[in-house]
Amino acid sequence: NAGVTQTPKFQVLKTGQSMTLQCAQDMNHNSMYWYRQDPGMGLRLIYYSASEGTTDKGEVPNGYNVSRLNKREFSLRLESAAPSQTSVYFCASFKIGHTEAFFGQGTRLTVV
Amino acid sequence: AQKITQTQPGMFVQEKEAVTLDCTYDTSDPSYGLFWYKQPSSGEMIFLIYQGSYDQQNATEGRYSLNFQKARKSANLVISASQLGDSAMYFCAMREMDAGGTSYGKLTFGQGTILTVHP
């Protein structure tokens, strides 16, 4: 039981490049989330998917797109990376009736 | 819109003493859940404790307890008998139900409080 798996763990991009952050959970969770965490800051919600087939904007969606590929996978895409998107990205998942959201280990992204 | 506020950027406590980390929230959803997570310097998110909006009693998990005051919309974390290993960032979070009521909607975090435990 791997929990929530994020790939990659580290990435350096040049300004204007694109990339997709992958997230997969094997716990049959309905809801999945993408956050960014800047140094010394809290987690800010980028996008979330309350259930398979739905996605909604969070607090800071600009510059990002998401895809809920199936119940297991929720990807985050940066179409044209900017230095302001340098951050640590966390994926999380949740199942209704449960009392804990599970987090991936994070992806440290640097845009130069 | 839901909102979580942690007003203490940093807190200091002596080892073996108790400490309270403050959290206030705002939501119009009658069904919600409140969480506390710990983030050590290594970066992972560690779940500590959960309180449901309909729970009558305050949640407790070992040395952690959640002081839930629904009318005041506060959900403070109390850590008893602090240990050096408790030094970390602590986040309060709240989840709401989605519009259909069948899944969880937003899971929103506060800004965090850095706790430092002194020997």
Side-chain angles (χ1 to χ4, degrees):
Chain A
N1 187 347
V4 179
T5 303
Q6 285 183 238
T7 54
K9 290 186 170 48
F10 301 93
Q11 184 73 48
V12 178
L13 287 179
K14 293 183 179 178
T15 298
Q17 287 185 318
S18 62
M19 79 161 295
T20 300
L21 279 65
Q22 307 285 355
C23 176
Q25 51 88 13
D26 59 2
M27 297 172 285
N28 200 34
H29 285 179
N30 306 89
S31 305
M32 297 185 73
Y33 306 84
W34 275 107
Y35 296 91
R36 63 175 288 173
Q37 184 179 26
D38 299 314
M41 303 285 287
L43 278 74
R44 292 187 291 170
L45 183 63
I46 305 172
Y47 272 93
Y48 69 102
S49 172
S51 58
E52 186 179 359
T54 69
T55 60
D56 284 285
K57 295 179 181 179
E59 182 185 354
V60 288
N62 290 347
Y64 304 95
N65 284 301
V66 290
S67 294
R68 184 74 183 266
L69 303 170
N70 46 55
K71 194 170 187 179
R72 289 187 65 247
E73 299 171 287
F74 188 39
S75 62
L76 178 72
R77 182 158 179 86
L78 287 72
E79 290 292 350
S80 179
S84 60
Q85 294 178 305
T86 293
S87 191
V88 178
Y89 291 83
F90 285 98
C91 176
S93 70
F94 220 146
K95 185 172 183 177
I96 194 164
H98 289 198
T99 59
E100 177 182 353
F102 289 82
F103 282 81
Q105 290 300 304
T107 296
R108 188 172 297 274
L109 175 67
T110 302
V111 183
V112 298
Chain B
Q2 63 178 1
K3 186 177 181 181
I4 294 281
T5 303
Q6 294 179 253
T7 57
Q8 305 156 316
M11 288 286 287
F12 295 89
V13 65
Q14 207 70 26
E15 194 179 7
K16 299 180 184 176
E17 293 186 348
V19 62
T20 297
L21 306 183
D22 294 342
C23 173
T24 58
Y25 62 92
D26 190 20
T27 182
S28 56
D29 191 337
S31 176
Y32 53 90
L34 296 156
F35 307 80
W36 279 90
Y37 279 83
K38 173 184 178 181
Q39 187 180 45
S41 57
S42 53
E44 72 266 33
M45 296 292 288
I46 301 169
F47 168 74
L48 297 178
I49 196 165
Y50 167 83
Q51 178 86 40
S53 58
Y54 295 118
D55 293 343
Q56 295 297 313
Q57 297 205 339
N58 287 344
T60 60
E61 290 285 349
R63 295 186 298 111
Y64 304 108
S65 59
L66 199 153
N67 185 0
F68 180 45
Q69 298 188 45
K70 193 171 183 177
R72 298 180 64 179
K73 294 189 175 181
S74 73
N76 298 340
L77 177 71
V78 181
I79 304 174
S80 63
S82 297
Q83 301 171 356
L84 295 178
D86 293 334
S87 293
M89 175 82 92
Y90 288 80
F91 292 105
C92 180
M94 177 172 63
R95 64 101 182 121
E96 62 181 13
M97 300 301 292
D98 77 335
T102 58
S103 295
Y104 292 146
K106 286 184 179 179
L107 177 62
T108 303
F109 282 78
Q111 307 93 311
T113 296
I114 299 175
L115 176 66
T116 303
V117 181
H118 290 301

